[in-house]
Amino acid sequence: MEESRKVVEKKSYAFINKWKDRTDYLEDPLILLRALDEYETWNRYYGTDGAEGYYFMLRTQQNQNDPTLKAKLNKIEEFGRKIQNDIQFFYLRIGKIPLKRQKGFLENRRLQKYRHFLERIFAEARYLLSEPEERILNLKASPAYSSWVKMTAGFLAKEEREVIAENGRKVISNLSEISSLMNSRQRKVRDAAARAFNNILSNHVEVAETELNSILANKKIDDELRGMERPDLSRHVSDDIDSAIVDTLIAAVSARFSIPRRYYRLKAKLHGVRKLKYHERNVEYGTIAKKYSYGRTVTLVERVFDNLERKFGDILRKFLDDRRIDVFPRTGKASGAFCAHHLLSHPTYILLNHTGKLYDVLTFAHELGHGINNELMRERQNALNFGAPLSTAEVASTFMEDFVLQELLGQADDELRIAILMNKLNDDVSTIFRQAACYRFEQELHKAFRQRGYLAKEEIGTLFQNNMAAYMGTSVEQSPGSENWWVYWGHIRHFFYVYSYASGLLISKSLQNSVKENPRFVVKVKDFLSAGMSDSPQNIFKNLGVDITDRLFWDKGLDEIESLLRETERLAEKMGKI
Ligand SMILES: [Zn+2]
């Protein structure tokens, strides 16, 4: 490893020293091509930390309690940061190429394989200030933004309250434990948890008011300095997506808020109440007790993938043959699941915690979906286009997950079927409609702040509740205390990134809809999954004959959810439950 680190260092500084004092690559397209080829090779085989960084990242996920591993990871990260700092001049200077010359470079035939990489650099650089100004903005980011956010989160994380545990005993719990108790099937347990949760939030609402106003002011200042016309523009630029597309998405989802309202009406009826309380939205319905061994999981998912497209099954088999999946839970291993990739020349790995629940089958399909996405991109893209933009990163995973869900539903009896459907709808509602409502809340928040100069906690609470009520409808109560739930909502502090949850899942649903209509459409899905960052999502789809600027595209995805809801309503009626 020491030797490989020396190689990374040697290769990195060979590139840095060769180009750092030169300006010819900013003027001559052929020299730029040579520089980009060398940068691509560096990115493909070495990067800032080589195989060592990837290795220790993965090893610390497999054993989080080993201080030796942690120390080694810290060391290689420190090594990588230095190289990152020394090499960033390369793309920062490319960003400063004058507009007229940019156009010529983008049109140059020899540079086509790097066209979109250049486009992304140019698009971000358009809003950058001079180097010393950028330094000042960087230096003030912590006191003017992140310290405030950390402060509120820190106060909340320290809180503890006495609540009722699932076994009926009184326990002292922290905020995250309390919030999971709010989903308890026992009313007594979840109500006690909600009282404690609301009490904690109301204790910190004054602090959160000051915090939120400060970070809204900071955002306004940055946007004005950079000449950003709308508060969500910086997000769209860094995500490589057109504002018009996000606007269409949010408008399409909002126009179908009747779907979540109907869902909550059904849920309230199934739970035998007229209205759900605000904190009861996510209480599960029915029981999903069926068990799936890992072997059965693999067979089932493999069959679904093969039926969709042989290549998907082949990629799954390669993962198994190469033993690139860490399957079962162990002490010290990270919880949850993920699919990891690093450099283009490195293999993809998957970590799971398979315990045999139905949910684990879906997780397996989800992570393999990411895996398939990676392997397809690896075959077709260069290292500078290797990766998925935020707006479409979850398309492959949710696509595979939903087809496997269809298979599971096909095998289920009515009781299991309704339980699976209700939980699936709950996830879809939270991922699409709740996030669109949150996006609209954020838009109103920034707008109101910019008009009035300061927002009192009551004003923030009213904006919040209005937007929540808009998608939940009248079957969910905007219960006293819920006006403060923005206090702990981390998403709104990361400004406008929640649209990406909705866009990823809806694109996936829309593609599913097309595949169900015509199975041969899966070829286009495969092309899309191979495209990586070779172009903007909008153009990648356009080349496949799909127009994501069209409202109808998003409606197709929403139709999928509505038909799932209709199926569930009919089943509930047939079973005499409503
Ligand atoms: Zn995912």
Side-chain angles (χ1 to χ4, degrees), residues 373 376-378 380-381 525-532 534:
N373 198 175
L376 291 174
M377 287 189 291
R378 186 194 309 282
R380 292 253 293 265
Q381 301 306 326
V525 175
K526 209 172 70 181
D527 280 344
F528 161 70
L529 297 179
S530 313
S534 59

Side-chain angles (χ1 to χ4, degrees), residues 366-367 370 393-394 397-398 401:
H366 181 107
E367 299 310 334
H370 284 301
E394 292 299 331
S397 53
T398 52
E401 192 184 327

